[in-house]
Amino acid sequence: MFGPHFLENCRNIKSGGVTIVALVFAAFILRSGVVAQTAYHDPKGRFEFQIPDGWSAAPDEGVDQMIVRKGAVQAIIMVSQQNKSNAMTAKEAVDETTKEFQTQCPTTRVRKSGAVTLASEQGIYTLMTCSDLKSPAVAETSAVLTNNTVLVAFTMISPLAVYYANLSTLDGIRDSLRVAGAKSTAAVSGTTDSKAMTELDRACTVGALAQEDCARRIGIVLGQEAKQEKSAQEAAKGTMYHDPTGRFSLQVPEGWSAKAEGDDGALGVQLRSESSWINVMPADPAKSASEVVLNQEHKVAEKSNSNRKVPFGISGLVQIFGNGLEVTYDDFNASTGQGDPIESFISGVGNISGTDRNFLLLVASINAQKKEEAGAVFLSVAQSIRLLAH
């Protein structure tokens, strides 16, 4: 694919007076790694991210970066402190990596560029393809220079044939990346498309799906989103609940009731509609909203003696930013004690700035017969939360 070796002998390249490592990629040579089911924490305390079930993660040999992979699909993560007076920019990093791809694969073609949220800040990305007859592939490289002058680079590589199938997981790894000291947490401005639509657009752009298949899938997603939007609008017609202790407020969906739990609501609130419920409660101490979710899922697995891997959902953790908050959640199928199917959610909600470690934990169980409404109702509650100063 992109060269005869995976991360060949690295060359130091000068760009604007800053020494960087040129990444030379080839996706199909495997190295042994350590399979992990939970968060990876950099030993130097610089960053952390989630490793999906069935994927391996290992430091690169000779280069200060992490390689996360499953078969021929991989993500490369680099976090490098820059000199404030002469820092490499995100554009320089993306351009340099793009040149490396073009050097290794003469048929490399840039398909799309734009803005992306990386390490909770707004960065840039370039999406490209290599049309090698024996191994057509897709590569996407993104970078951001954080407010504390840390250069973050994230590159994903996949054979074209399995790109779309792995795109959600690759995006999940990227979206879970957290860098120490980063303060800015703005999602990409002007982006209105859903995650599903964004991934479809990228897959169609690189030719991973046939045109007819693209049109069909886009129609399905638009139809599903229209139904969810309608459900969300109906849920938003409800009333406001104000935590008696002054910690938070939220919107109670129309047709749902709210009951404070514990003395004066000390244990939070339960929202209920028939057999469906959403519990909102203070979370145990955690460093991030993602950690809130994973901690709770470990407790559930231990209590139920389940062999289910964390995170429970097949798509991994999903993160949403807005209204000054980060909402991280996992969506998965479960069943009641009587064996009835339910749609389950576990979520952590916290201040988007990362300076306030007071997180809320949301645990929801919604009748599976209302599957189309479940996500919209749950997210309408989670995104309506306002953490109050106290």
Side-chain angles (χ1 to χ4, degrees):
M1 180 183 152
F2 293 108
H5 303 290
F6 184 86
L7 291 168
E8 286 180 336
N9 294 329
C10 297
R11 295 172 292 156
N12 287 332
I13 293 180
K14 287 283 187 177
S15 178
V18 181
T19 300
I20 64 168
V21 175
L23 306 183
V24 184
F25 300 100
F28 304 116
I29 298 176
L30 308 183
R31 286 203 183 114
S32 60
V34 179
V35 176
Q37 311 299 335
T38 56
Y40 172 85
H41 298 276
D42 173 49
K44 298 180 181 179
R46 298 169 298 176
F47 61 92
E48 63 181 57
F49 63 89
Q50 299 297 325
I51 305 172
D53 184 23
W55 289 60
S56 66
D60 180 43
E61 297 175 6
V63 183
D64 188 12
Q65 60 189 19
M66 287 295 299
I67 303 171
V68 189
R69 71 190 325 148
K70 183 177 183 181
V73 184
Q74 60 185 299
I76 300 99
I77 300 170
M78 185 193 75
V79 177
S80 174
Q81 180 67 57
Q82 298 289 294
N83 187 317
K84 286 187 178 181
S85 63
N86 197 18
M88 168 168 274
T89 66
K91 185 177 185 304
E92 289 172 336
V94 168
D95 288 348
E96 193 59 57
T97 304
T98 302
K99 289 178 183 178
E100 288 296 326
F101 282 115
Q102 293 169 337
T103 298
Q104 296 172 59
C105 178
T107 58
T108 292
R109 180 180 173 186
V110 173
R111 300 286 182 169
K112 194 170 187 176
S113 296
V116 66
T117 299
L118 177 62
S120 300
E121 300 200 18
Q122 182 166 309
I124 60 173
Y125 79 95
T126 291
L127 177 66
M128 63 200 106
T129 56
C130 171
S131 301
D132 183 89
L133 294 178
K134 294 182 179 180
S135 56
V138 182
E140 181 177 321
T141 183
S142 56
V144 67
L145 186 65
T146 69
N147 65 290
N148 57 337
T149 330
V150 172
L151 179 66
V152 183
F154 184 92
T155 300
M156 56 178 78
I157 304 172
S158 171
L160 181 64
V162 296
Y163 172 66
Y164 184 54
N166 287 279
L167 187 50
S168 179
T169 302
L170 288 166
D171 280 351
I173 298 171
R174 181 199 62 205
D175 295 343
S176 71
L177 181 60
R178 291 288 178 270
V179 175
K183 295 180 181 179
S184 173
T185 48
V188 176
S189 59
T191 298
T192 57
D193 289 343
S194 68
K195 181 179 179 182
M197 190 60 72
T198 298
E199 290 173 353
L200 255 181
D201 176 67
R202 286 148 70 199
C204 294
T205 297
V206 301
L209 298 172
Q211 290 185 351
E212 295 80 2
D213 196 16
C214 283
R216 181 182 63 84
R217 290 173 182 267
I218 289 173
I220 292 173
V221 171
L222 289 174
Q224 291 174 337
E225 291 180 350
K227 290 181 181 179
Q228 291 176 352
E229 178 65 21
K230 182 179 179 181
S231 297
Q233 290 174 352
E234 292 175 350
K237 296 177 182 178
T239 59
M240 290 297 297
Y241 173 83
H242 296 275
D243 173 51
T245 65
R247 295 167 296 184
F248 65 91
S249 66
L250 55 79
Q251 189 88 12
V252 180
E254 186 174 26
W256 288 60
S257 63
K259 179 183 178 182
E261 299 289 328
D263 295 337
D264 200 25
L267 301 180
V269 60
Q270 182 179 81
L271 311 182
R272 180 174 284 276
S273 175
E274 299 178 344
S275 62
S276 300
W277 49 266
I278 302 173
N279 287 343
V280 182
M281 65 200 86
D284 291 338
K287 295 180 180 179
S288 66
S290 298
E291 190 172 294
V292 169
V293 177
L294 296 173
N295 286 347
Q296 179 64 19
E297 293 193 347
H298 279 299
K299 290 180 181 179
V300 172
E302 291 174 3
K303 186 175 181 180
S304 60
N305 294 318
S306 172
N307 292 324
R308 201 167 193 172
K309 303 298 183 180
V310 173
F312 295 153
I314 59 175
S315 297
L317 301 185
V318 178
Q319 295 169 306
I320 300 174
F321 302 96
N323 300 314
L325 295 179
E326 173 191 348
V327 177
T328 298
Y329 71 94
D330 195 6
D331 172 14
F332 55 97
N333 298 322
S335 60
T336 65
Q338 292 72 41
D340 298 323
I342 55 176
E343 193 76 7
S344 297
F345 299 85
I346 296 179
S347 175
V349 178
N351 191 315
I352 201 170
S353 69
T355 58
D356 186 352
R357 297 303 185 186
N358 295 318
F359 295 98
L360 292 179
L361 168 66
L362 280 66
V363 180
S365 171
I366 300 179
N367 191 319
Q369 295 179 349
K370 300 181 180 180
K371 183 177 177 64
E372 290 185 351
E373 303 175 14
V377 171
F378 173 77
L379 287 177
S380 74
V381 173
Q383 293 184 281
S384 74
I385 289 175
R386 298 295 180 271
L387 297 179
L388 307 178
H390 59 281

